[in-house]
Amino acid sequence: MKGLFCRAGATDAEPKFVIQETTLPDVLTSYQVRVQVKACGLSPLDLKLLSDVGIQRDLIPVGREVAGVVLQVGPKVTFFQPEDEVVGILPLDSTCSGLCDVVDIDEHYLVQKPEKLSSVCVAAALRDGLSAYTALHTHARIAAGHTLLVMDGGSSFSLMCIQLACYHGVKVLTTSHSPQQHTFLEQLRPSVARVIPVYNNSSDLLPVVLEETGGLGVDIVIDSGVRLQEEEEDEEKKFLPHKHDIISVLGVGGHWVTSHQDLQLDPPDCRLLHLKSASVSFLNPEVWTASSAQQGRYLHILKDIVEKMSTGVLRPQPEEAVPLYKATVVMETVQRHLKKKAVIQL
């Protein structure tokens, strides 16, 4: 059978995506489950992260968020049986591409998929749901009555954060990057307290947040990246908030959850955080599959995400499924961040 793999080039070269023949072992290990894949989500590969954790291969499997049907189980598997519908994320060190017809995966990375939830929908949204859950619950410890500012509310990850926070009774503020996005966010139900347009002038952020919070600032900020310099020439980054803006809108004891892995805080930034007794957390949802230290909590999170998607608490933006023969081209687009994500229907 065929799978999609990444051939990492030299340091400056763009990675190449290739279709390769691959095979599975004849016999499953004790806790493995053999799954026939129905849909697979594609997200950008973090080659630096793979290198940092010691995963170095000539061919790196592509496609890790999978939904499918159990074909066979190992002798010690207790959670699943053949014909169960399942969903999960392949671990970082998996040798299987999620775009193969059939994959082998440990039962501790899978949960049952509710019958009325489509495979395409859950494969497209599972990673964003996991990131949102990790940001809000694991890092920020949200509770009813908190005030939350979610940057770039129109992105799929931010939309999950907004919906999850509203479900828990949190007052939500968010930013929009275009007039169309602004209209979409204002029409969300449950509704957000305020949509702040930043496509005209991002300096409006602080006064609007202070107005909405009675001058106190927000309890939690979740970003989708930040600007480290005041002037940003990169078109993609010009709507990102400056790090000082984020620290300024935090209230006393506030919590900043950032996706910016190269964040640099200068002494004045640290001083302001200290004065507010505020804290910073780095969001890296890969830790759940990179370590088995909190496997039970991880499975609980996955189960809760798919249940909330099934009941309509989480309503991800629909993602159009792409046929398998377009996978290579689509993945190149995703890797260059021209498209945030894609889902392949097998």
Side-chain angles (χ1 to χ4, degrees), residues 62-304:
V62 173
R64 293 175 45 219
E65 304 97 85
V66 297
V69 179
V70 175
L71 296 177
Q72 187 181 346
V73 298
K76 293 187 178 179
V77 171
T78 56
F79 293 168
F80 306 103
Q81 56 190 12
E83 298 187 11
D84 281 349
E85 291 190 87
V86 294
V87 60
I89 299 176
L90 296 171
L92 280 172
D93 60 353
S94 172
T95 57
C96 293
S97 163
L99 293 180
C100 293
D101 292 333
V102 179
V103 298
D104 290 347
I105 180 172
D106 192 289
E107 69 169 335
H108 300 105
Y109 294 114
L110 294 169
V111 293
Q112 299 271 3
K113 181 183 77 66
E115 188 176 342
K116 64 180 180 180
L117 187 62
S118 82
S119 296
V120 169
C121 176
V122 71
L126 189 62
R127 178 183 291 269
D128 290 321
L130 177 62
S131 297
Y133 209 111
T134 305
L136 290 172
H137 288 286
T138 309
H139 290 307
R141 309 283 185 186
I142 60 162
H146 278 165
T147 306
L148 166 70
L149 172 62
V150 180
M151 310 306 296
D152 185 15
S155 73
S156 49
F157 159 65
S158 298
L159 187 61
M160 287 286 203
C161 289
I162 291 168
Q163 292 171 348
L164 192 57
C166 288
Y167 173 77
H168 288 287
V170 173
K171 179 179 179 179
V172 180
L173 315 176
T174 189
T175 62
S176 59
H177 287 187
S178 69
Q180 296 82 5
Q181 205 181 83
H182 191 87
T183 303
F184 168 73
L185 291 169
E186 285 194 323
Q187 292 173 348
L188 280 180
R189 294 294 180 271
S191 59
V192 297
R194 185 79 173 261
V195 182
I196 307 166
V198 296
Y199 46 88
N200 293 326
N201 185 1
S202 61
S203 62
D204 290 342
L205 183 64
L206 180 59
V208 172
V209 169
L210 293 179
E211 177 190 335
E212 284 290 332
T213 59
L216 298 177
V218 296
D219 299 299
I220 305 157
V221 176
I222 296 176
D223 70 41
S224 297
V226 296
R227 281 185 294 122
L228 301 181
Q229 308 298 328
E230 288 290 354
E231 298 299 325
E232 184 58 68
E233 295 180 4
D234 190 333
E235 193 69 21
E236 285 185 15
K237 297 180 179 178
K238 70 177 183 179
F239 293 142
L240 293 178
H242 188 265
K243 57 183 178 178
H244 184 73
D245 294 334
I246 290 184
I247 296 171
S248 299
V249 301
L250 277 175
V252 171
H255 200 90
W256 173 16
V257 182
T258 182
S259 301
H260 196 102
Q261 50 188 280
D262 298 320
L263 182 67
Q264 298 173 21
L265 295 178
D266 300 317
D269 301 324
C270 296
R271 178 65 182 164
L272 188 51
L273 285 167
H274 168 75
L275 288 171
K276 296 186 175 195
S277 192
S279 57
V280 181
S281 290
F282 290 87
L283 176 61
N284 175 18
E286 297 293 0
V287 295
W288 295 111
T289 58
S291 168
S292 58
Q294 300 193 50
Q295 198 75 47
R297 178 182 287 188
Y298 172 61
L299 286 177
H300 170 77
I301 290 172
L302 287 187
K303 185 178 180 183
D304 203 43

